């Protein structure tokens, strides 16, 4: 165990805040059993107190101790996808207090696979409450640098584990109501969940305030962003009076002040997405134009994040 991981676990035990890498995005961690530590976490993020947070564990066994009436489907999904980019919402046990569940009867649990997250969670032993390590509503961080830029002071330690491999937040499946319902699409697709469960998975349509990822404008850059179909991109650039930044699959014909070319493969696109949006956001343009990604199912999670980024 590295001295840095040991120090990180000590900070968590003392009620401090540790940012750490996961395979999806960086998390801002606090001891999930400490009301004071979680209050500090919410204050640092500027997050409303009634929003539930995901609790992270080193193993399924530790995670399931925070749930109750655990359905067979949860065990199947955990066996298939943990450790990995999946969050399960289960009925909570007495361990999950109101201050981590937003007062709901359910709790969000995840076992991340990133080796640094695993080491930290094993060394700490308990559950670590960790929303994405960004200010409320902003883009999730995928590097340690993003975290430090966003929180120059409030965090006690930032563990650096390189660029997050997945790049967008975990798939969230709600099993608290019996039938599995997809709350947030992610790199683990609906088809993969259905394949593992050998049954259909519902999709949550209406936005609920309890699920902050469901807020209309969330995961968003500060610069106004707009989704534009490929065929309309050049006309939209030409129409704009102020400087524009463009995120596209190929170089626009119209002259633009700043553009980033994105991969045509969905996993590579997701991995790069938030870093690219942060870069375009800091270019100081009047707008960010984003070329609409394909309709295919493998782009579901990306289309979800882009529609929120463009609110
Ligand atoms: O990939 C991820 O999930 C990252 C990494 C750090 O693990 N975490 C993350 O956390 O995205 P956060 O807090 O930014 O988003 C968690 C989402 C929120 O939309 C929250 O409302 C929802 O999970 N959530 C947590 N517990 C819930 C519950 N009991 N019922 C419904 N939604 C819940
Ligand atoms: Mg978040």
């Amino acid at each position: 165990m590295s001295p840095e991981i040991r120090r990180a676990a000590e900070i968590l035990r003392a009620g401090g805040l540790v940012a750490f890498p996961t395979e999806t995005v960086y998390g801002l961690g606090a001891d999930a059993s400490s009301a004071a530590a979680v209050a500090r976490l919410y204050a640092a993020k500027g997050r409303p107190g009634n929003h539930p947070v995901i609790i992270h564990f080193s193993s399924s066994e530790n995670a399931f101790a925070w749930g109750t009436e655990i359905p067979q489907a949860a065990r199947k999904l955990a066996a298939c996808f943990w450790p990995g980019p999946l969050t399960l919402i289960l009925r909570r046990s007495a361990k999950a207090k109101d201050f981590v569940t937003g007062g709901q009867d359910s709790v969000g649990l995840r076992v991340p696979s990133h080796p640094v997250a695993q080491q930290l969670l094993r060394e700490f032993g308990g559950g670590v409450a960790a929303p994405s390590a960004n200010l409320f509503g902003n883009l999730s961080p995928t590097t340690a640098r993003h975290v430090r830029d966003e929180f120059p002071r409030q965090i006690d330690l930032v563990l650096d584990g390189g660029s997050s491999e997945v790049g967008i937040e975990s798939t969230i499946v709600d099993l608290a109501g019996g039938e599995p319902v997809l709350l947030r699409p992610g790199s683990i697709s609906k088809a993969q969940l259905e394949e593992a469960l050998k049954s259909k998975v519902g999709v949550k349509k209406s936005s609920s305030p309890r699920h902050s990822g469901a807020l209309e404008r969330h995961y968003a850059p500060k610069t106004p962003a707009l989704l534009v179909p490929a065929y309309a991109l050049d006309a939209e650039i030409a129409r704009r009076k102020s400087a524009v930044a463009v995120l596209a699959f190929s170089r626009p014909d119209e002259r633009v002040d700043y553009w980033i070319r994105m991969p045509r493969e969905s996993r590579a696109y997701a991995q790069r997405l938030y870093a690219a949006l942060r870069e375009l956001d800091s270019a100081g343009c009047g707008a960010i134009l984003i070329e609409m990604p394909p309709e295919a199912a493998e782009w579901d999670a990306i289309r979800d994040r882009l529609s929120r980024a463009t609110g």
Side-chain angles (χ1 to χ4, degrees), residues 20 22 24-28 45 47 51-54 56 87 89-90 100-101 104 106-108 110 112 130-134 140 168-172 174 183-184 209-214 218-219:
F20 61 98
T22 85
T24 57
V25 299
Y26 275 66
L28 180 53
K45 269 195 67 108
R47 190 181 220 210
H51 281 266
V53 72
I54 297 173
H56 298 65
T87 295
I89 309 293
L90 299 177
V100 283
T101 69
Q104 303 185 89
S106 59
V107 62
R110 170 156 130 75
S132 50
N134 53 272
S140 295
I168 55 173
E169 307 77 2
S170 61
T171 302
I172 303 182
D174 188 353
L183 291 189
R184 180 173 71 184
R210 281 310 173 85
H211 164 51
S212 63
H218 207 80
Y219 310 117

Side-chain angles (χ1 to χ4, degrees), residues 63-266:
F64 284 146
W66 285 59
T68 187
E69 297 167 46
I70 294 156
Q72 207 43 44
R75 298 197 186 276
K76 269 191 208 159
L77 292 180
C80 283
F81 301 113
W82 278 352
L86 176 70
T87 295
L88 298 178
I89 309 293
L90 299 177
R91 298 185 68 79
R92 66 168 164 174
S93 75
K95 286 180 186 282
K97 303 285 194 283
D98 282 347
F99 58 81
V100 283
T101 69
Q104 303 185 89
D105 286 335
S106 59
V107 62
L109 307 171
R110 170 156 130 75
V111 179
S113 63
H114 194 292
V116 173
Q118 272 290 327
Q119 285 167 36
L120 174 65
L121 293 165
R122 252 183 261 136
E123 178 72 11
F124 177 65
V128 174
S132 50
N134 53 272
L135 294 168
F136 185 67
N138 284 4
L139 294 167
S140 295
T142 53
T143 67
R145 177 67 194 275
H146 294 163
V147 181
R148 290 194 202 98
D149 285 350
E150 196 137 336
F151 297 99
R153 277 177 307 277
Q154 304 90 321
I155 303 183
D156 300 302
L157 180 67
V158 180
L159 294 173
D160 191 341
S163 276
S164 295
E165 194 185 320
V166 174
I168 55 173
E169 307 77 2
S170 61
T171 302
I172 303 182
V173 179
D174 188 353
L175 288 153
E179 298 301 303
V181 178
L182 182 65
L183 291 189
R184 180 173 71 184
S187 69
I188 294 173
S189 67
K190 184 165 172 287
Q192 281 176 288
L193 297 168
E194 290 176 339
E195 159 90 38
L197 292 173
K198 307 271 179 278
S199 72
K200 284 281 166 204
V201 170
V203 177
K204 174 108 178 189
K205 281 271 152 53
S206 70
S207 73
S208 138
R210 281 310 173 85
H211 164 51
S212 63
L215 292 179
E216 244 169 50
R217 198 175 154 80
H218 207 80
Y219 310 117
K222 291 171 195 74
T223 310
L226 190 74
L227 267 173
V228 184
Y231 69 83
L233 202 51
D234 282 302
E236 189 62 38
I237 295 165
R239 200 178 70 74
R240 300 248 157 195
K241 304 265 178 316
S242 64
V244 291
V246 173
L247 192 73
F249 294 106
S250 55
R251 189 186 191 98
D253 290 334
E254 280 293 320
R255 220 193 72 75
V256 284
D257 299 273
Y258 212 111
W259 83 287
I260 293 179
R261 171 190 229 133
M262 293 299 281
R264 289 187 184 274
E265 194 275 311
S266 61

